[in-house]
Amino acid sequence: MKRLVSILLGLVLGFALVIPMGASAQAAPYCGISWGSLAKAQSPGSSLTSITGVRAGEHSCYDRMVIDVHGDVRGYSVRYVDQVYAEGSGARVPLRGGAKLEVVAHAPTYDPVTGRSTYTPSNRKELRNVSGYSTFRQIASGGSFEGQTTIGLGVRARLPFRVFVLDGPGSGSRLVIDVAHRW
């Protein structure tokens, strides 16, 4: 009987070494991306900043939107929503795509000291041409009011995204939003 128990215990321990506890049959993350799709935010600071531009680009694993800021990025909130609404008026910002990201930058599109515009898009409904992008479907302005700016980002589907801030060039900074091409 002791011999049988020893053999069974040896088999169990042997399998435990070969198959780690909690292991499951999961595919590796797409391009190593493990960002998730939950809201991301940074609390606002107290510096005087303003938005000077919005850009977009394609990468092999994700599409990228960059908001150029004069000064340091004070704070932001980026999250999936059912609808994006314009600053001040509360009007719905129509967006193409299967999912909508609401991007709120705690910086206006005007100089907070002089009130002069620092970013005036030629077309508020199409801040950048993203036709042909893998994930992005539309980038639209939701306006600027009381020191913050809303941008609607229409994407193909609710996909993982990340948000981060880059310093420069010069005394400026950039708020970067990357959205993966797939999970």
Side-chain angles (χ1 to χ4, degrees):
M1 183 68 165
K2 283 184 179 180
R3 182 175 162 98
L4 181 60
V5 170
S6 294
I7 291 172
L8 288 175
L9 185 59
L11 287 172
V12 169
L13 289 175
F15 280 117
L17 292 174
V18 174
I19 303 171
M21 297 301 253
S24 63
Q26 281 185 315
Y30 171 68
C31 289
I33 292 173
S34 58
W35 306 331
S37 63
L38 297 178
K40 291 145 180 78
Q42 176 182 315
S43 298
S46 61
S47 63
L48 296 176
T49 63
S50 57
I51 292 174
T52 59
V54 175
R55 299 177 283 133
E58 297 178 90
H59 296 264
S60 59
C61 298
Y62 54 87
D63 290 348
R64 172 173 284 180
M65 180 177 77
V66 177
I67 301 172
D68 295 312
V69 177
H70 175 76
D72 292 331
V73 171
R74 295 184 335 164
Y76 59 83
S77 169
V78 182
R79 64 191 180 120
Y80 280 105
V81 294
D82 292 331
Q83 294 295 328
V84 173
Y85 295 99
E87 291 288 336
S89 72
R92 187 175 68 82
V93 177
L95 291 169
R96 293 184 299 276
K100 298 164 181 67
L101 273 172
E102 174 190 70
V103 178
V104 177
H106 295 279
T109 56
Y110 54 85
D111 184 303
V113 175
T114 66
R116 288 185 145 150
S117 178
T118 57
Y119 175 59
T120 307
S122 58
N123 182 352
R124 295 173 51 89
K125 295 179 182 180
E126 302 283 342
L127 296 182
R128 305 311 295 162
N129 179 0
V130 294
S131 61
Y133 279 44
S134 295
T135 297
F136 289 177
R137 295 297 180 257
Q138 184 179 4
I139 303 174
S141 173
S144 193
F145 186 70
E146 293 186 348
Q148 70 180 30
T149 301
T150 295
I151 295 173
L153 179 56
V155 296
R156 181 174 49 80
R158 186 179 175 125
L159 293 162
F161 71 97
R162 68 178 172 179
V163 181
F164 58 96
V165 175
L166 292 173
D167 288 333
S171 63
S173 58
R174 294 160 285 165
L175 177 60
V176 179
I177 297 95
D178 292 337
V179 183
H181 292 168
R182 61 184 177 90
W183 279 96

